[in-house]
Amino acid sequence: MDTAELYRRFAVREVRGHSPAYEDLALEIAADARLLALIDGLPPIKRQPNLLLASVRFLGGPHADFGRFREWVVRHWAELRETVLARRTQTNEAGRCATLLPVLAGLTGPLALVEAGASAGLCLYPDRYRYRYDDRPVLGPEDSPVVLACRTNGRVPVPTRVPEVVWRAGLDLNPLDVREEETSRWLECLVWPGQHERLARLRGAVRIVREDPPHLVKGDLNETLRDLVASAPREATVVVFHSAVLPYLEEGERDRFVAAVRGLPVRWISNEGSPRLPSVLAGLGRDLPEDRLAFLPALDGRPVAMAGPHGEWLDWLDT
């Protein structure tokens, strides 16, 4: 799709109902020839709405008024362009653990977790968060600073306790260390304006990770995964999982990654936007929502649910 359509879809399917400021900005950008020309001068992977908008906020630019926003972007384009090129979206959304937990809890433990595209590793701690599914009792460690709320539909196998995780590691082309203040500030800029609860849980997850930093390996998914899996403890069930990472791989790289995971002695949990894994989408058996972005949590290549991209809702599939 062209850049205007990219920003319109972001406004309508992603931020609508979640961030009025970003919905307005994205729709205005989609109709502004000057801004579209500037954005089209970026490499395609760098034209992402969230990357551009987060970069503006990171540099201290406005986000509440399109006139001021447009003037600022045009005036500061050289600096903004440099930031966009240097940064990656890497939205490390701990809320996704709420949609992963029912799948993880159904596996034979203890678990050794390997996250592909781990960013700062916040999703490597599903056992350290608390969870509220609808009006069910909250589960998870009572002293956790993070409570993840998730609306459910269907026969979701909500566990009564979090799984035992005995080992955790992640890999990323650009792993982030949240002990660095600038890194934490960048992650906060990736949270959409007005999402106060999401910002609070990010800060809570950062606290947990700062106290017990994960083992993060810098490397290409297709070059590093096998060695990282081999280093996991043999007495544990090794789980390779990933969320919203496949859009950053070319189609051939995605195919290599899927083939590599399938060839390893692991359980594989994917949580990606529907077009990224055609084989998973083919097993859905129902239409996708047209008015909102849906992820497809899947176990070993078989879809088990549709989910909100930030873990805010989970619709279990009939199996």
Side-chain angles (χ1 to χ4, degrees):
M1 68 186 76
D2 64 16
T3 304
E5 180 61 19
L6 179 67
Y7 278 74
R8 280 192 293 268
R9 287 172 65 90
F10 177 74
V12 173
R13 302 192 67 211
E14 296 190 45
V15 296
R16 178 164 291 174
H18 300 288
S19 178
Y22 268 12
E23 180 183 353
D24 291 344
L25 284 183
L27 290 174
E28 293 280 7
I29 292 169
D32 191 289
R34 177 72 184 281
L35 294 187
L36 290 174
L38 290 173
I39 296 168
D40 280 336
L42 297 167
I45 196 66
K46 295 293 186 176
R47 299 172 192 168
Q48 307 158 45
N50 204 31
L51 177 59
L52 178 82
L53 296 172
S55 296
V56 171
R57 294 171 65 202
F58 188 73
L59 295 174
H63 64 267
D65 176 83
F66 179 70
R68 292 177 56 238
F69 172 88
R70 185 185 190 278
E71 180 184 2
W72 189 95
V73 168
V74 172
R75 182 183 301 171
H76 296 87
W77 179 251
E79 183 184 13
L80 178 58
R81 184 178 189 276
E82 183 178 337
T83 300
V84 168
L85 293 176
R87 295 277 173 179
R88 293 177 172 88
T89 305
Q90 293 186 277
T91 303
N92 208 180
E93 179 50 67
R96 291 172 181 147
C97 288
T99 53
L100 297 175
L101 186 73
V103 188
L104 287 169
L107 302 178
T108 302
L111 304 180
L113 302 181
V114 178
E115 184 178 11
S119 185
L122 304 189
C123 288
L124 281 165
Y125 295 78
D127 55 325
R128 306 284 182 87
Y129 303 144
R130 286 173 66 74
Y131 301 85
R132 180 183 293 111
Y133 293 95
D134 305 311
D135 57 356
R136 296 179 175 92
V138 179
L139 65 131
E142 292 185 359
D143 61 347
S144 176
V146 177
V147 179
L148 306 179
C150 181
R151 305 185 307 275
T152 70
N153 184 46
R155 293 179 289 181
V156 179
V158 176
T160 57
R161 60 176 60 89
V162 296
E164 180 186 7
V165 178
V166 295
W167 188 87
R168 63 193 96 223
L171 58 99
D172 200 287
L173 279 175
N174 181 47
L176 301 179
D177 186 347
V178 293
R179 292 172 294 183
E180 300 173 356
E181 289 299 329
E182 185 174 273
T183 296
S184 294
R185 189 166 72 85
W186 171 247
L187 289 176
E188 290 192 4
C189 288
L190 289 168
V191 175
W192 304 335
Q195 293 192 306
H196 305 297
E197 290 186 6
R198 190 176 163 208
L199 182 60
R201 71 178 180 234
L202 169 64
R203 290 172 174 168
V206 166
R207 280 176 51 195
I208 290 173
V209 174
R210 282 178 171 174
E211 292 172 0
D212 181 21
H215 175 53
L216 299 179
V217 176
K218 183 175 183 176
D220 180 270
L221 303 187
N222 287 320
E223 305 299 331
T224 314
L225 181 62
R226 184 175 297 276
D227 289 342
L228 193 55
V229 166
S231 66
R234 296 180 181 273
E235 67 273 13
T237 297
V238 182
V239 182
V240 172
F241 73 101
H242 52 93
S243 293
V245 69
L246 295 189
Y248 303 102
L249 299 181
E250 299 292 341
E251 183 176 356
E253 293 175 317
R254 291 200 298 269
D255 292 343
R256 283 182 60 205
F257 174 72
V258 171
V261 175
R262 289 185 181 278
L264 292 171
V266 302
R267 305 304 301 269
W268 170 36
I269 299 176
S270 59
N271 184 38
E272 299 285 345
S274 53
R276 305 303 177 180
L277 286 170
S279 60
V280 172
L281 180 60
L284 179 59
R286 66 170 71 175
D287 293 332
L288 289 165
E290 294 184 358
D291 59 342
R292 57 181 176 173
L293 179 63
F295 278 27
L296 290 179
L299 176 62
D300 298 327
R302 180 180 62 85
V304 297
M306 291 190 292
H310 299 140
E312 64 272 39
W313 56 271
L314 181 64
D315 291 356
W316 206 255
L317 303 178
D318 294 330
T319 57

